[in-house]
Amino acid sequence: MVTEEDLGAWLAEHQSVVVFTGAGISTESGIPDFRSPGGVWTKYDPRELTFQRYVASADVRARSWKMRREFFAAGAKPNPAHEAVARWERDGRSPGVITQNIDGLHAAAGSRSVARLHGTAAEVMCVGAAPVGGQPVGCGWREDTRWAFDAIDAGTADPMCPSCGGLIKSATVSFGQMMFPEPIELAEQMIEEADAMLVIGSSLSVYPAAGFPEIAAARGMGLGIINAEPTPLDHLADVVVHGRAGEILAGR
Ligand code: APR
């Protein structure tokens, strides 16, 4: 079993560590992850909330807004793991973080270079009247997510884009939806700059996101994993530490 001292040595032997995070880095900030007991997908069925079903059904949109509000990270604060990631970037030891998370806690901790592979729950966006093929093709309208919550509270069960009348959706990437190109380009750029990748708090079970640690390993970069439980990519890692990220990374 690898100890936390090994993690310290591993971090010290690399010049530039790009970080890759999942929902597990935010559970110590009070935000449930997806697949642990009590996680989001133990209360909602992700197959019900695909992009295609969202576009087709006002009922699915209503359920999606209810879930969004229930898990909205309002008031959640970064924990020592987010703070360590931001510190490494400030100290020039990391090009930044590639995250699957939509909670905004990396930016709140001071991270500047954040590739948000799955978008952000802080905003809503127009996805157009009838997007096809999982590609949101809206008019460009975007607002703070609270705009949608306020519209629903004011009695509009299925709020539409005030600019073009199209559908609006959380600015996140749902199952069945194409990922946005910009964060992918930023992630690829950060991997180019790094000589190692540290995964923190992900089950590494969702692609294409989980492909990034595989790319790092295939390029011969160092790979470290901090996770509460084993992941399918542990065999590719130089160091694997099973535990709570906030405790393991506090002060590092
Ligand atoms: N410290 C370390 N690891 C933790 C902690 C913690 N405090 N809390 C939970 N974990 C681990 C869990 O054991 C789990 O393996 O974090 C992992 C979280 O896995 P998931 O819940 O699957 O979340 P994630 O990997 O981010 O999911 C990827 O799936 O549904 C989609 O879009 C969603 O971005 C999400 C993607």
Side-chain angles (χ1 to χ4, degrees):
M1 178 62 189
V2 166
T3 66
E4 291 183 27
E5 285 64 37
D6 301 306
L7 175 68
W10 182 84
L11 284 169
E13 79 189 39
H14 291 99
Q15 310 309 317
S16 178
V17 179
V18 58
V19 179
F20 178 94
T21 62
I25 196 173
S26 296
T27 56
E28 292 164 77
S29 298
I31 301 175
D33 65 13
F34 291 91
R35 295 172 178 83
S36 294
V40 177
W41 299 144
T42 65
K43 297 183 175 173
Y44 291 86
D45 180 350
R47 291 163 302 180
E48 294 290 311
L49 299 171
T50 62
F51 185 75
Q52 287 71 17
R53 290 178 56 81
Y54 183 91
V55 167
S57 158
D59 174 53
V60 170
R61 292 194 287 274
R63 245 180 299 152
S64 187
W65 289 123
K66 177 174 176 294
M67 176 192 81
R68 185 67 56 211
R69 197 194 292 258
E70 191 180 331
F71 290 103
F72 194 61
K77 297 267 182 298
N79 66 56
H82 297 102
E83 289 160 357
V85 172
R87 186 164 46 249
W88 297 340
E89 183 187 351
R90 252 196 325 275
D91 295 349
R93 294 163 53 199
S94 169
V97 53
I98 302 167
T99 189
Q100 301 170 92
N101 299 343
I102 59 175
D103 56 33
L105 290 185
H106 282 302
S111 286
R112 308 279 297 272
S113 181
V114 183
R116 293 175 183 81
L117 298 180
H118 295 163
T120 174
E123 294 182 318
V124 290
M125 63 186 284
C126 173
V127 296
V132 292
Q135 185 74 32
V137 282
C139 69
W141 177 86
R142 277 178 93 101
E143 253 300 342
D144 185 287
T145 292
R146 285 178 180 79
W147 182 95
F149 294 159
D150 293 346
I152 291 165
D153 292 345
T156 308
D158 191 14
M160 296 291 168
C161 174
S163 172
C164 75
L167 297 171
I168 65 167
K169 177 182 175 297
S170 176
T172 56
V173 178
S174 302
F175 285 112
Q177 184 179 342
M178 304 277 282
M179 285 178 28
F180 305 112
E182 297 79 9
I184 294 174
E185 286 155 22
L186 178 56
E188 288 167 345
Q189 183 193 319
M190 287 197 271
I191 289 173
E192 278 293 323
E193 293 173 30
D195 62 347
M197 178 181 284
L198 178 63
V199 174
I200 306 172
S202 179
S203 62
L204 296 176
S205 55
V206 171
Y207 286 80
F212 282 105
E214 288 179 327
I215 291 167
R219 290 167 62 103
M221 293 167 65
L223 180 65
I225 298 176
I226 298 173
N227 204 54
E229 63 184 6
T231 78
L233 301 189
D234 283 4
H235 67 285
L236 297 178
D238 316 311
V239 287
V240 177
V241 184
H242 289 151
R244 289 162 57 82
E247 292 165 11
I248 293 166
L249 293 175
R252 280 193 186 274

